[in-house]
Amino acid sequence: MEKKPRSVRREPPPKEVPALAPVLLLAAVLFLNGLLYLYLSNVHGSSGRAGADPSLCPLGSFRLGAGKNCSPWLSCEAISKEVRKLKRVGEGAVKKVFLSEWKENKVVLSQLTSLELQDDFLHGLKMLKALQSKHVVRLLGYCEQQFTILTEYHPLGSLRGLNETLSMPRYKGFNTWHRRLALAIDYVSIIRFLHGSPLGTLVMCDSNDLAKVLSQYLLTSDFHVLVNDLDALPLVNRSAGVLVKCGRRELRGEFVAPEQRWPHGEEVPFDDDLMPAYDEKTDIWKIPDVANFLLGHVEGSDIVRLHLFDIHAACKKKDPAERPSAQEVLDTYRKVLTLLIREAAVPSTREML
């Protein structure tokens, strides 16, 4: 009788980890880092040096829309002949503002409201001419004799209307924590630019309450921030002992910095001659309040606020000398944006695998 051969049970080969997985992981990480780099380059682009913007023309000229050539700033004669007023869209203490048209382009024409304020008007024009950069609204022309300034038109208007703009159906996709943080980075970049401007350290004095601050800045169609109103921009020169005072009237409220408030109590009537001067650190005090508005109340904005807590607490130091510089605030904002985008990218990478 033959013996049946014993069947040998074969163990299945050990399960191998596909060699493709690490490659996919590496590719995903590199891809997301590349996206992060491009995103941050775009965000930080508005806060870089003026000369890095290829859309800027040489000082004294401008380019509008898709035009390839730079045109010289419009003169009094050109403004009178070629610019047509459409409607008045605003009026402040110093200027009346008109939506206008020049060669089928919408532009903004600003005119002095009262001859008593001509010094403020001409100071604003001087600042516009000297500070042309990617941080500042584009100057198209001016006429000192007629107290007229022509600037680029931005249909989304000032930052005061940000929440209304983001509630519109076509812009709801922009209503995210990272887009809002990018706007805050733009704002702080402008403060940094003014504190280290070609003219010296400039203080944004037209900023006694949140609504007033927001009205000084424009929201561009590609969701960046430009400073628009430079009428009240005095110069600090600490080495020469030159400090500033923002106007000759008493400032009140928690929004303005402590050193801007009357220090002698209610029993002593306000007297501008007794009011101490101050420096650019008043702008730093206001950053957290402006940033809080810009961040809004969208998903993720509270996490951003948590990461910015320490730098904002430093901005609110009572002693101006203990507050950070605008550059230090800007560096922190950028680090937080980079960190949070990378953290958001990690779960996406895992899902891809």
Side-chain angles (χ1 to χ4, degrees), residues 158-178:
S158 79
L159 281 181
R160 287 183 69 173
L162 175 64
N163 290 328
E164 289 75 12
T165 297
L166 289 174
S167 68
M168 297 168 61
R170 66 182 297 186
Y171 295 118
K172 281 188 175 179
F174 291 91
N175 196 17
T176 61
W177 68 262
H178 44 85

Side-chain angles (χ1 to χ4, degrees), residues 242-318:
V242 177
L243 300 176
V244 304
K245 286 189 279 187
C246 292
R248 300 181 62 83
R249 62 184 179 85
E250 183 178 0
L251 301 179
R252 295 175 178 268
E254 293 298 313
F255 186 81
V256 296
E259 63 270 23
Q260 293 184 280
R261 302 173 210 155
W262 178 242
H264 301 299
E266 295 288 340
E267 62 279 2
V268 180
F270 178 80
D271 183 345
D272 185 60
D273 291 334
L274 300 178
M275 180 68 199
Y278 34 83
D279 63 17
E280 76 280 3
K281 290 298 184 73
T282 58
D283 290 333
I284 305 300
W285 171 272
K286 298 161 189 173
I287 286 176
D289 299 282
V290 178
N292 187 54
F293 170 83
L294 295 177
L295 289 174
H297 298 283
V298 296
E299 183 179 355
S301 62
D302 286 341
I303 299 297
V304 177
R305 287 184 178 89
L306 184 62
H307 280 78
L308 296 177
F309 180 85
D310 288 343
I311 192 68
H312 282 172
C315 291
K316 290 293 188 179
K317 294 279 190 182
K318 187 172 182 180

Side-chain angles (χ1 to χ4, degrees), residues 81-203:
K81 289 183 177 180
E82 301 173 15
V83 176
R84 181 170 65 96
K85 288 181 184 177
L86 300 178
K87 63 177 179 178
R88 187 156 80 177
V89 292
E91 181 171 348
V94 178
K95 299 188 292 285
K96 292 177 288 187
V97 181
F98 298 87
L99 175 63
S100 304
E101 190 175 57
W102 175 73
K103 294 186 177 180
E104 300 183 350
N105 293 289
K106 294 286 196 303
V107 294
V108 174
L109 187 72
S110 301
Q111 293 182 317
L112 179 65
T113 56
S114 169
L115 286 176
E116 296 175 358
L117 299 171
Q118 62 178 291
D119 289 343
D120 292 330
F121 184 92
L122 293 175
H123 176 75
L125 173 57
K126 176 185 174 182
M127 294 294 104
L128 264 179
K129 290 161 62 177
L131 299 176
Q132 283 296 288
S133 70
K134 61 175 63 181
H135 303 289
V136 179
V137 69
R138 191 167 299 167
L139 179 63
L140 309 180
Y142 63 91
C143 180
E144 289 192 32
Q145 296 93 316
Q146 297 174 9
F147 299 104
T148 299
I149 299 173
L150 195 69
T151 54
E152 188 173 18
Y153 172 62
H154 292 279
L156 296 184
S158 79
L159 281 181
R160 287 183 69 173
L162 175 64
N163 290 328
E164 289 75 12
T165 297
L166 289 174
S167 68
M168 297 168 61
R170 66 182 297 186
Y171 295 118
K172 281 188 175 179
F174 291 91
N175 196 17
T176 61
W177 68 262
H178 44 85
R179 180 65 66 172
R180 283 175 169 271
L181 179 54
L183 293 177
I185 288 174
D186 277 355
Y187 166 71
V188 177
S189 297
I190 292 170
I191 299 299
R192 188 276 312 266
F193 171 71
L194 294 177
H195 289 183
S197 84
L199 302 177
T201 302
L202 300 168
V203 181

